[in-house]
Amino acid sequence: EIVLTQSPGTLSLSPGERATLSCRASQSVRSSYLAWYQQKHGQAPRLLIYGASSRATGIPERFSGSGSGTDFTLTISRLEPEDFAVYHCQQYGSSFTFGPGTKVDIK
Amino acid sequence: QVQLVESGGGVVQPGRSLRLSCAASGFVFSNYDMHWVRQAPGKGLEWVALISYEGRDKYYADSVKGRFTISRDNSKNTLYLQMNTLRPEDTAVYYCARGTPSGYWGQGTLVTVSS
């Protein structure tokens, strides 16, 4: 089973700042089958990025994904108030696993 | 618009069974693989099971293999999760989700396993 590790656990930033979230896999993720989801309190997850770097429909350009192999990054170029949430990575190249999540909260 | 609505959650004693349903609308249900994903209180997401679009192929997380069964009725646009021999660690919000990766999710249904 591929284990995903996300860092940091919590990221405290101010609106307008840049957020960089990391997702590391215990083994290479096949074909960069790596997705990122945003989840706000009490809500279902929302797909942001798939295939490591493709934005899902309706996702603002300030969200971008990069990486391959075992190291992946989600970048939010300038945080908006609605971006403070928990972010989960998921690999779907070998069965399915999620990372533990990174919480982005207001500094 | 795409809608996924879970139901069937509740409080159940350890060792008992429960069946969850997910009613789909707004898209051609029979064209999509479907997942169940759960989230224990205050924890991260855990993938539970996947069923292929026609229902032929089914995959399970090791934590539920042999106890849970995923199924679907494409004539009723409904996804199911039969959960047997429930354990306290199965307590979670259970979400159904469309496709891989999952672009649409239901709002979730809470299952609490407690005596």
Side-chain angles (χ1 to χ4, degrees):
Chain A
E1 174 185 304
I2 296 179
V3 177
L4 299 180
T5 303
Q6 291 186 243
S7 61
T10 302
L11 193 54
S12 297
L13 294 169
S14 300
E17 289 193 295
R18 182 184 186 92
T20 303
L21 287 67
S22 172
C23 177
R24 180 161 292 177
S26 60
Q27 52 188 285
S28 184
V29 176
R30 181 173 67 94
S31 301
S32 294
Y33 286 153
L34 192 287
W36 290 93
Y37 298 85
Q38 177 193 67
Q39 188 179 27
K40 297 180 181 178
H41 185 68
Q43 296 184 18
R46 176 174 74 141
L47 178 65
L48 299 175
I49 301 288
Y50 64 93
S53 61
S54 297
R55 268 188 304 275
T57 302
I59 301 304
E61 289 185 3
R62 65 181 181 273
F63 291 92
S64 63
S66 63
S68 64
T70 59
D71 289 299
F72 300 87
T73 300
L74 174 70
T75 301
I76 310 171
S77 58
R78 287 177 58 85
L79 282 163
E80 297 288 339
E82 62 269 28
D83 299 336
F84 292 92
V86 177
Y87 293 83
H88 308 272
C89 59
Q90 178 201 32
Q91 70 81 23
Y92 51 98
S94 174
S95 189
F96 308 91
T97 48
F98 288 93
T102 289
K103 182 179 181 181
V104 179
D105 66 12
I106 299 177
K107 189 173 181 181
Chain B
Q1 73 282 19
V2 173
Q3 275 203 310
L4 297 168
V5 180
E6 301 94 339
S7 60
V11 180
V12 61
Q13 292 181 327
R16 303 297 289 258
S17 300
L18 207 58
R19 188 177 84 153
L20 306 183
S21 300
C22 169
S25 61
F27 65 102
V28 181
F29 181 67
S30 58
N31 284 356
Y32 290 88
D33 296 349
M34 295 293 295
H35 296 263
W36 285 101
V37 176
R38 68 185 181 183
Q39 187 169 34
K43 303 297 183 183
L45 301 169
E46 180 187 14
W47 174 76
V48 173
L50 162 71
I51 188 168
S52 60
Y53 65 97
E54 84 279 52
R56 186 183 325 177
D57 299 314
K58 304 175 184 182
Y59 305 91
Y60 299 93
D62 287 344
S63 58
V64 307
K65 202 173 294 183
R67 299 188 299 123
F68 290 10
T69 302
I70 190 171
S71 62
R72 64 191 298 160
D73 186 337
N74 284 345
S75 68
K76 295 183 178 179
N77 292 338
T78 303
L79 175 72
Y80 302 101
L81 185 68
Q82 177 67 43
M83 304 186 295
N84 297 334
T85 318
L86 282 161
R87 305 167 178 167
E89 55 265 36
D90 295 320
T91 294
V93 173
Y94 285 74
Y95 296 100
C96 61
R98 188 190 87 170
T100 304
S102 300
Y104 289 94
W105 297 62
Q107 84 289 349
T109 187
L110 176 62
V111 173
T112 303
V113 184
S114 173
S115 53

